Every structure is written in C-alpha cells, then in structure tokens.
Amino acid sequence: MGGRGTPVLRPIWWILGMLAVAGVFSAAYWGFVLTATGQRADELALRGAAYLDADLARRPALALLGDLPAAAAILLAVAVLAAAIARRDLVVPAIALAGFGAAVASTQLLKHVVLERPDKNISEASMNSFPSGHTTFAAAAMVAVFLLCSPRWRPLAAVFGGFYAAAAGGATFVLGWHRPADILAAYLVAAFWGLLAGLVIVLREPGWNTWNGPGSHWAAARAWTTLLWVPGVLGIAGAIVVYWRVSAALAPGSEGSLLGHLLAGVLFIVGAASFLFALGSAFFSWQTSARR
C-alpha cells in the first residue's frame, strides 16, 4: 500500500491543476466551437469519419460502444467493492463515485444548457455536441478506478484507463457521433472532477496514499507511464502535422483529404487521452510520493 512517512500535501497545486484544466476546456470551446476556423477543422475530421466503409470500422465501433456502458459500470463496481473491502470504509469509494457522477452530470448540463454552438455556415448540424457524453462516461469511470487503486497500482491503472478512454472516444468519432473537440472536452471534464475527488481522497487518507514513488513496485514501473507519454506526445504532434499537410496539399472533399483529416482526428483523440492520463498519473505520483 503506502510507503513510510507522509508527504507534505499542498492543495494549491491541485487547485491550480483544476484551473488549468478548466482553462484548456474554455480554450477548446472558444477555438473549436466559437470560431469558424475551429469549426471547419472539426467538421473536416467528421466528414473523414463519415467516409469510412461501414464493414471496416463502423460495425466494430458500434459493437464497442454497445458494450462500453456495461463494461465501464462493471469495472467501476469491482473497483468500488475491492476498495471498500481493502479500506474497510465506504467513504473513499463514495467520493470516487461522486466524482464520476459529477463528471457525467456536468457534461450533460454543459452540452444542453450552458454551452451553445453558433451557426457559421460550415455544418448542417447546429446542435451543440460539446462535450461527448459517451466519452465522458468511459473516461470518468476509468478515472474513478484510478482513484480507488493504491498508489503503487495507479501507473498501471492509468495505462489501462488511457487506452480505454481513447478507444471509447475513437469509436464515437468513427461512428460520426462526435467531433474530435467534443471528445477532448469529455476527457477534460473527467480530469477536472478526478482532480477534485483525488484531492479529497488524499486529504482524508494521507497514509494510504503515501508510497515510495515510481519504480518501487512492478505496477509502478516508469515504463508504464512511458507507454502513455509516447502516444500522447506523438499523437497530438502527428495530428497537427497531418492536418496542416493535408489542408495545404489536397483539395477539400477529395478522397485523400477525407482520409487525411480522419487520420488527424484519430491521432488527436488517442494523443489527448494518452497525454492526459499520463499527466494525471505523474501528478498523483509526485503528490503522494514520500521521497519528494
């Protein structure tokens, strides 16, 4: 479980983290929803997804999303039960579940009540879809599982959670249900509530959440976080490069342009999920390590 000693927890870093996440969310909404340039980039990716052959990608994606709620609910239920038994306490599982519920509820509130999508004559769909509800459900469930793990298991849990969230986001994109920015917003909503719930959990159980840092257990090997950092950085950078290359070299609406924007969207989604889960894992490791 934990390591020796108790680290000096500074809630200010958690608060700054939440403010940073909220700032990125606001910037994404302004850039991808309120501006014509951002709407166009998002819409081109969505058109690329619509170009895919149904048998090649849409049916597997639909099958994944059909099983996703049940799978996420089962994983979360198992994590809650295991945490309750290990801790002999229901408060921490309740906090993690509250963070999950707040993420899911706030996404629906943001999408249907708070935020609007102005019509820039770019897409026929003017209804706001920012953030994605399906992706929020999957990402927030994985964040809750991450929080319920002991510190030495969190790096491994982050890898699983990041890939699961990327698969869920990718499936909603391939099916044409959501644009890449909608999926990024869902990850950010899950991250915000994960930080808040995580802070409350660490403050309540500092001993349980104290450990000897990365490398002290096989599930906390630095290689696990590397498995997230690499696709995170390369995915985001690759998405930017592919988008600009395709936009500059190919005619809009051509087969190459559609496939290029599709690739950029997939890279962006995988990169965003991997990067955020890597960042979250590194942050929790830093804040709970007795060696710092």
Side-chain angles (χ1 to χ4, degrees), residues 18-239:
M18 286 184 278
L19 290 175
V21 169
V24 175
F25 181 94
S26 300
Y29 175 66
W30 175 82
F32 287 103
V33 179
L34 299 184
T35 70
T37 301
Q39 279 198 18
R40 188 174 297 108
D42 237 11
E43 185 65 22
L44 288 171
L46 193 65
R47 292 176 185 174
Y51 183 76
L52 279 181
D53 180 78
D55 292 329
L56 177 65
R58 288 177 175 266
R59 289 182 182 177
L62 188 59
L64 173 64
L65 284 180
D67 296 332
L68 185 147
I74 290 172
L75 288 170
L76 183 54
V78 170
V80 166
L81 180 62
I85 293 174
R87 289 175 165 83
R88 299 180 182 179
D89 181 22
L90 294 176
V91 175
V92 167
I95 295 170
L97 283 176
F100 165 75
V104 173
S106 59
T107 280
Q108 297 304 315
L109 183 65
L110 287 166
K111 180 163 60 174
H112 297 298
V113 179
V114 178
L115 305 179
E116 296 181 352
R117 181 181 181 85
D119 187 359
K120 302 288 186 179
N121 295 319
I122 293 171
S123 171
E124 294 180 359
S126 59
M127 181 182 299
N128 181 55
S129 58
F130 182 103
S132 163
H134 283 83
T135 308
T136 300
F137 189 96
M142 293 303 101
V143 169
V145 170
F146 172 86
L147 294 176
L148 290 170
C149 291
S150 64
R152 66 183 182 182
W153 288 98
R154 282 177 182 151
L156 179 59
V159 173
F160 179 80
F163 291 163
Y164 190 95
T172 62
F173 170 59
V174 167
L175 284 170
W177 293 0
H178 282 283
R179 303 169 180 87
D182 301 339
I183 295 162
L184 169 64
Y187 295 150
L188 292 169
V189 169
F192 178 89
W193 289 106
L195 282 170
L196 180 56
L199 173 59
V200 177
I201 288 172
V202 174
L203 286 173
R204 188 179 190 277
E205 291 191 344
W208 179 277
N209 285 282
T210 303
W211 65 315
N212 290 325
S216 59
H217 185 259
W218 71 267
R222 298 182 188 277
W224 294 119
T225 308
T226 302
L227 285 177
L228 289 171
W229 282 124
V230 171
V233 174
L234 294 181
I236 294 174

Side-chain angles (χ1 to χ4, degrees), residues 260-288:
H261 286 104
L262 167 65
L263 175 59
V266 170
L267 288 173
F268 182 77
I269 291 166
V270 172
S274 301
F275 186 85
L276 285 173
F277 271 85
L279 191 61
S281 180
F283 180 81
F284 271 80
S285 295
W286 168 52
Q287 282 289 293
T288 58

